[in-house]
Amino acid sequence: MACRRMTEPAPQRLFIKTYGCQMNVHDSERMADLLAPLGYCLTEDAAEADLAVLNTCHIREKAAEKVYSELGRLRRLKEDRAAAGGRMLIAVAGCVAQAEGEEIQRRQSAVDLVLGPQAYHRLPELIARAHRAGGRIVSAAFEAEAKFDALPRARGVSGVTAFVTVQEGCDRFCTFCVVPYTRGAEFSRPADLIETEVRGLVDQGVREITLLGQNVNAWSGAGEEGLAGLIRRLARIPGLARIRYTTSHPADMTDDLIAAHGEVEALMPYLHLPVQAGSNAILRAMNRAHTAETYLATLERLRAVRPDIALSGDFIVGFPGETEADFEATLSLVREVGYASAYSFKYSRRPGTPAAALPRQVPEEVKSERLQRLQALLSAQQNAFNLAQVGRVLPVLVEKVGRRGGQMIGRSPYLQAVHFQAEPDQAGQILAVEILEAHANSLAGRRAPPA
Ligand code: SAH
Ligand code: SF4
Ligand code: F3S
């Protein structure tokens, strides 16, 4: 997003670096929206920043550690600025901020401000305090409702797709996961507010929305009966062509939501439904509230109403106590499902989570070896899925200009990037594209002749 307002005196420069999930990407955009009226313009160059924000992720150890190396770099830039008579504030936001609080300032004293994901609406006030107090301000309170009420409603969007936060937090407490601690209890926004936001986006040219939540299919906001009710309501908005939602928990796939996949045309036939593992003993130890069998039964019901639905998933290998046989159960579940895409991770021990204290932690080299085997299978499935599109004509939502002349990039219903020749003014249209080539992460095709 470009700087929207030039103020006197010279605009403040805002640098934001985002780690982690889509929710963080979205939150970073909202922070920029919130600071724009105060004269903050985004910059990609941290060296010229008056305020540098790291929007952090705590999900795995590596994600959290990256933050500290980036803070080291920012510290040097801050010192250079001070030597030149300037001033830079460094803020740590997001899930590491929530999890570690003041500890962050102890490890890196150049940090002026630490604020958790529920405190973003207080950013202007906190910046002012940091300027007065020379830093050392911590805010990590859970105030989901206040945050949603206080963040600016009017959003500037560029492009034809947008994310809309409908739910935040998680009550599921999978034993490996920090999210219930960093994002707090589940909170759902009311349907009326969501509808108003989506109508505003559609007025600005958005054709596809993705409803976001850490456990989005547990949405229980006022005004509609469950996520299926919300989707049905949004699908009636004229001009909105496509609806997606992420991320879902298998145990929260209600009958009504499954039925919606067969009835709501705008609901895309692609679902991210993480299973994590294929062994019931491991799923139980993870506190997942589903078994391999109930997961497969859910998919069968989804496929019964929407035969072309494509699946994506998340997997963890090397959870404490995972035996070779447990791991093979994961491989066998993957073979049975056939994923269109997937994310897979080595189990990472997170301080404070129940699984971190379990005996029989799996050695690093065993985790690496299992991850390799799983990823080989998953990428073969992804390639096969992409290849299966060759020769088909897919409805492609045209998003943006591609790198080569005359080329546009769009999305298939299955979220694949599709490259093809079209005019820039066709962005926002849904065109029939014949798929000619499949690559690891994209497809290429040409406009299909009218039927
Ligand atoms: N429902 C959330 C999930 C966030 S975590 C969402 O909105 O995206 C994303 C994925 O990270 C999880 O599905 C899980 O596969 C993985 N993950 C979570 N904790 C982990 C840990 N301690 N070690 C390795 N992977 C983990
Ligand atoms: Fe984490 Fe489990 Fe909640 Fe997903 S459902 S955010 S993995 S606790
Ligand atoms: Fe990471 Fe927090 Fe998202 S831990 S995955 S940024 S909810």
Side-chain angles (χ1 to χ4, degrees), residues 306-329:
R306 189 74 215 226
D308 64 336
I309 197 160
L311 273 304
S312 122
D314 290 344
F315 297 88
I316 295 177
V317 300
F319 184 82
E322 185 187 72
T323 63
E324 176 61 22
D326 289 322
F327 173 64
E328 278 171 19

Side-chain angles (χ1 to χ4, degrees), residues 170 172-174 176-177 179-180 214 249 276 288:
C170 184
R172 286 238 161 241
F173 289 92
C174 301
F176 51 80
C177 184
V179 171
Q214 262 90 30
H249 191 288
Q276 312 299 352
R288 282 293 291 178

Side-chain angles (χ1 to χ4, degrees), residues 92-116:
V92 179
C95 291
V96 175
Q98 183 67 41
E100 298 187 4
E102 290 178 52
E103 189 57 35
I104 295 174
Q105 279 170 322
R106 253 174 256 134
R107 267 184 77 174
Q108 179 48 271
S109 58
V111 172
D112 298 281
L113 239 157
V114 178
L115 70 164

Side-chain angles (χ1 to χ4, degrees), residues 19-21 23-24 56-59 95 178-179 182-183 214:
Y19 302 81
C21 64
M23 183 81 78
N24 261 12
T56 61
C57 174
H58 199 242
I59 201 83
C95 291
V178 296
V179 171
T182 60
R183 294 277 172 168
Q214 262 90 30

Side-chain angles (χ1 to χ4, degrees), residues 141-334:
F142 283 123
E143 306 171 60
E145 208 154 347
K147 168 184 169 181
F148 281 127
D149 285 348
L151 284 177
R153 289 266 169 267
R155 295 174 52 183
V157 279
S158 59
V160 299
T161 62
F163 289 94
V164 176
T165 301
V166 301
Q167 180 271 345
E168 195 165 344
C170 184
D171 295 342
R172 286 238 161 241
F173 289 92
C174 301
T175 55
F176 51 80
C177 184
V178 296
V179 171
Y181 311 98
T182 60
R183 294 277 172 168
E186 282 175 13
F187 173 82
S188 297
R189 289 175 70 199
D192 285 351
L193 287 184
I194 296 166
E195 182 180 344
T196 305
E197 181 172 341
V198 174
R199 283 185 183 275
L201 291 168
V202 171
D203 287 346
Q204 294 179 71
V206 167
R207 305 291 318 278
E208 171 179 306
I209 53 157
T210 302
L211 306 178
L212 270 190
Q214 262 90 30
N215 190 9
V216 71
N217 58 344
W219 182 85
S220 61
E224 287 297 336
E225 201 53 49
L227 186 67
L230 179 65
I231 288 170
R232 288 178 208 274
R233 185 201 285 206
L234 298 176
R236 290 194 289 271
I237 297 175
L240 182 63
R242 292 182 165 189
I243 300 175
R244 305 177 187 275
Y245 61 94
T246 198
T247 296
S248 298
H249 191 288
D252 288 311
M253 288 303 297
T254 60
D255 292 346
D256 197 21
L257 187 54
I258 292 173
H261 276 275
E263 293 161 13
V264 180
E265 208 192 320
L267 192 53
M268 289 293 96
Y270 177 86
L271 181 62
H272 184 62
L273 197 61
V275 65
Q276 312 299 352
S279 148
N280 287 340
I282 296 297
L283 288 171
R284 208 173 312 119
M286 287 177 163
N287 188 32
R288 282 293 291 178
H290 63 80
T291 62
E293 292 75 22
T294 57
Y295 179 81
L296 291 169
T298 300
L299 299 191
E300 201 171 303
R301 288 162 61 219
L302 278 162
R303 283 173 169 155
V305 297
R306 189 74 215 226
D308 64 336
I309 197 160
L311 273 304
S312 122
D314 290 344
F315 297 88
I316 295 177
V317 300
F319 184 82
E322 185 187 72
T323 63
E324 176 61 22
D326 289 322
F327 173 64
E328 278 171 19
T330 299
L331 294 178
S332 120
L333 179 136
V334 169

